[in-house]
Amino acid sequence: MPSLKLRFNFSGFHHCCNCCSTPKIPSFTSFQSEANIKSTMDRLTSAARLMIVSDLDYTMIDHHDPENLSLLRFNALWEANYRENSLLVFSTGRSPTLYKELRKEKPMLTPDITIMSVGTEITYGNSMLPDDGWEAFLNDKWDRKIVTEETKKFTELTLQSETEQRPHKVSFYVPKDKAQDIMKTLSKRLEERGLDVKLIYSGGMALDILPQGAGKGQALVYLLKKLKSEGKLPNNTLVCGDSGNDAELFSIPDVYGVMVSNAQEELLQWHAANAKDNPKVIHATERCAAGIIQAIGRFNLGPSTSPRDVTDMSDSKMENFVPAYEFVKFYLFFEKWRRGEIENSDLYLSNLKAVCRPSGTFVHPSGVEKSLEECVNTLKKCHGDKKGKQYRIWVDQVLPTRVGSDSWLVSFKKWELCGEERQCCITTVLLSSKNVTVADGLNWTHVHQTWLQGVESASDSTTWFF
């Protein structure tokens, strides 16, 4: 008899008898676009359970981790436990141009809110709609022309690339040994010309000049006030950073904060001078995204064990059925299956078939339609086909919607990375609880996928599964 550890259990998914009628399938075309995946804070009808506000470079993203394992661990934790009722905010010094480049390079989730250009730009959702109110607020006592005129008088300042020059941000490189003197003199000259500006030095090399009301901290204060006015102030907020331009985040009252273990000297010095006695701010012992996960656990903000850290997912149990957790689990299993990290056992496949409705169908992004049972059978031949390769799968924006008394529709983006090649499709899965309670589990009834626009797609239907 096979070991229980070979059992692949979807935490209570049960096979329905053949007599169960298939629930009416909604029009999947209405869900098959990124724009229709609800991702702004408007999707929340009440206060967010948790809002994470994180810097990107060397905080959420570890550029010294070629496998991106800490980031993928965070992705799995967030999508399995937080996406549906929490808010993810990326707060970066990068301009929109460099932010979008980073998204193409790293397996990042889609944030609900993006704060860019050192807190001078706030956008929402997949389409990155700008916050006009924030832009208007920053115009007070700001004149970019005057800033340009005064900074030209300092030969030590080197302009950063054109993409980093924004309407409310002028950015330079400055020698570390000259930074403090230049900042002091420049600040005085700009004040004399009637401007109220903020100078932020970070990374031991970068100098950003912003309106006084700008910055990562002020942008977050603005967001918190906006959420509070709508009755949606998050129950808890965790800010995460590694450099000087993140310091403002840790000054906001009532938020939790984590400086990742690889935080730069300038941030550690600021913390020692300003927040060393604040029990809500910690210096993690883990790098980057792993440090963020550590802080979630340290402050008891919610689940802090990533599904990627569960070695035997077949035995992982939950008090209540959570569709998002199940899909994260399934695609982690699929990744391990193709990497050859789990045994090629027919028992896994039979358990997969048991959660698929006999009449269930799968529509491949190419338009080819197959039965779910046939799809499970094809998994046999792809076991270990990615062994030894940099192959990863992650899901993004996993959001369930109840579409009937006994049916749910779960939409998400499914990503595959193999070496330098990235592919993504918008996936919708219809689940049915016909003849079983939702707590007992749901059956896979219909899976429909379309390629995400602008992302490379598989050349044929034989190289992309589920």
Side-chain angles (χ1 to χ4, degrees):
M1 182 176 180
S3 165
L4 287 177
K5 291 187 176 181
L6 292 179
R7 176 174 52 84
F8 188 77
N9 175 25
F10 276 60
S11 296
F13 271 21
H14 290 296
H15 175 56
C16 224
C17 64
N18 291 334
C19 61
C20 295
S21 59
T22 301
K24 183 179 179 181
I25 298 174
S27 172
F28 280 86
T29 56
S30 63
F31 294 92
Q32 296 298 310
S33 71
E34 186 178 27
N36 287 331
I37 296 180
K38 294 179 292 183
S39 61
T40 69
M41 59 188 180
D42 292 334
R43 65 181 166 76
L44 299 181
T45 57
S46 58
R49 170 190 182 184
L50 172 65
M51 181 164 75
I52 286 186
V53 182
S54 178
D55 174 51
L56 291 178
D57 295 291
Y58 295 104
T59 300
M60 183 64 74
I61 308 294
D62 189 348
H63 293 284
H64 294 158
D65 178 9
E67 291 280 338
N68 300 301
L69 290 180
S70 64
L71 178 59
L72 290 167
R73 287 177 59 219
F74 175 85
N75 291 357
L77 175 65
W78 186 260
E79 294 300 329
N81 296 285
Y82 293 97
R83 172 67 77 174
E84 185 178 5
N85 55 18
S86 298
L87 290 173
L88 181 61
V89 182
F90 288 158
S91 182
T92 177
R94 287 180 176 243
S95 66
T97 299
L98 291 188
Y99 167 70
K100 291 174 183 177
E101 287 182 5
L102 184 65
R103 288 188 59 83
K104 293 178 181 178
E105 298 168 3
K106 296 293 182 178
M108 296 165 57
L109 296 181
T110 303
D112 298 287
I113 305 169
T114 312
I115 301 172
M116 294 170 289
S117 304
V118 199
T120 62
E121 299 179 65
I122 301 175
T123 66
Y124 302 92
N126 289 304
S127 54
M128 297 180 67
L129 295 173
D131 190 313
D132 295 333
W134 181 241
E135 292 180 5
F137 171 75
L138 294 182
N139 286 330
D140 186 42
K141 292 187 178 181
W142 171 256
D143 190 320
R144 202 175 186 285
K145 182 179 179 182
I146 292 177
V147 173
T148 301
E149 290 174 357
E150 290 299 325
T151 52
K152 283 183 178 178
K153 299 174 183 178
F154 294 82
T155 57
E156 301 92 340
L157 295 178
T158 303
L159 272 172
Q160 293 183 26
S161 65
E162 185 63 30
T163 63
E164 301 312 288
Q165 312 305 325
R166 305 297 296 170
H168 295 98
K169 180 174 80 77
V170 186
S171 297
F172 300 89
Y173 294 117
V174 58
K176 188 174 182 178
D177 59 340
K178 301 288 184 64
Q180 295 304 318
D181 289 340
I182 290 176
M183 289 172 65
K184 184 177 179 179
T185 303
L186 181 57
S187 180
K188 183 178 180 180
R189 290 186 183 180
L190 291 173
E191 183 179 353
E192 289 172 350
R193 295 201 61 179
L195 301 191
D196 191 9
V197 301
K198 176 183 296 182
L199 280 68
I200 298 179
Y201 176 64
S202 60
M205 58 185 294
L207 176 62
D208 296 308
I209 304 174
L210 326 168
Q212 182 60 43
K216 290 184 176 183
Q218 291 302 313
L220 177 55
V221 169
Y222 172 86
L223 279 177
L224 289 171
K225 288 181 178 178
K226 189 171 185 175
L227 288 165
K228 185 176 181 179
S229 69
E230 297 175 357
K232 298 179 181 179
L233 185 67
N235 295 331
N236 289 297
T237 298
L238 173 66
V239 300
C240 320
D242 77 298
S243 70
N245 66 20
D246 299 313
E248 288 184 352
L249 294 171
F250 300 100
S251 301
I252 299 173
D254 301 322
V255 305
Y256 294 95
V258 55
M259 301 178 295
V260 292
S261 69
N262 53 291
Q264 296 182 29
E265 178 184 357
E266 66 214 25
L267 181 59
L268 297 178
Q269 290 177 344
W270 176 91
H271 177 260
N274 299 277
K276 65 179 180 180
D277 297 323
N278 185 351
K280 286 191 170 184
V281 178
I282 65 169
H283 186 194
T285 59
E286 300 279 352
R287 289 178 59 87
C288 301
I292 298 174
I293 295 174
Q294 183 182 13
I296 293 173
R298 172 75 174 272
F299 295 126
N300 296 313
L301 301 178
S304 59
T305 300
S306 171
R308 281 191 174 270
D309 297 331
V310 178
T311 55
D312 181 15
M313 301 193 69
S314 66
D315 285 339
S316 61
K317 301 291 184 183
M318 303 188 71
E319 292 181 5
N320 299 303
F321 175 77
V322 180
Y325 190 92
E326 299 304 324
F327 284 103
V328 171
K329 259 176 63 173
F330 169 73
Y331 283 109
L332 284 178
F333 159 79
F334 188 39
E335 176 190 292
K336 292 177 181 294
W337 178 267
R338 298 193 70 178
R339 286 171 61 93
E341 295 175 350
I342 55 179
E343 183 181 350
N344 186 355
S345 169
D346 289 335
L347 185 57
Y348 284 121
L349 302 184
S350 64
N351 281 325
L352 282 176
K353 289 180 183 178
V355 301
C356 296
R357 177 154 297 190
S359 59
T361 55
F362 167 70
V363 180
H364 186 274
S366 65
V368 175
E369 184 173 323
K370 301 178 180 180
S371 70
L372 289 176
E373 184 174 344
E374 183 182 357
C375 292
V376 174
N377 289 335
T378 61
L379 295 185
K380 185 75 174 176
K381 66 180 181 181
C382 70
H383 180 269
D385 66 340
K386 302 296 184 181
K387 188 173 183 178
K389 299 180 180 179
Q390 190 177 343
Y391 176 76
R392 299 293 177 186
I393 298 178
W394 69 100
V395 290
D396 180 22
Q397 293 183 289
V398 184
L399 294 169
T401 302
R402 192 154 196 163
V403 293
S405 61
D406 57 10
S407 55
W408 292 75
L409 193 70
V410 183
S411 62
F412 53 91
K413 287 180 277 189
K414 178 224 172 180
W415 287 89
E416 285 192 15
L417 171 70
C418 190
E420 298 297 321
E421 183 180 340
R422 290 159 54 102
Q423 298 176 336
C424 180
C425 67
I426 304 293
T427 303
T428 52
V429 181
L430 184 66
L431 303 173
S432 171
S433 60
K434 189 77 172 178
N435 288 358
V436 294
T437 65
V438 174
D440 287 331
L442 295 93
N443 306 115
W444 293 52
T445 299
H446 187 81
V447 182
H448 193 115
Q449 296 184 332
T450 58
W451 295 122
L452 179 63
Q453 188 175 2
V455 179
E456 184 178 358
S457 59
S459 58
D460 59 60
S461 60
T462 63
T463 59
W464 181 269
F465 303 91
F466 275 109

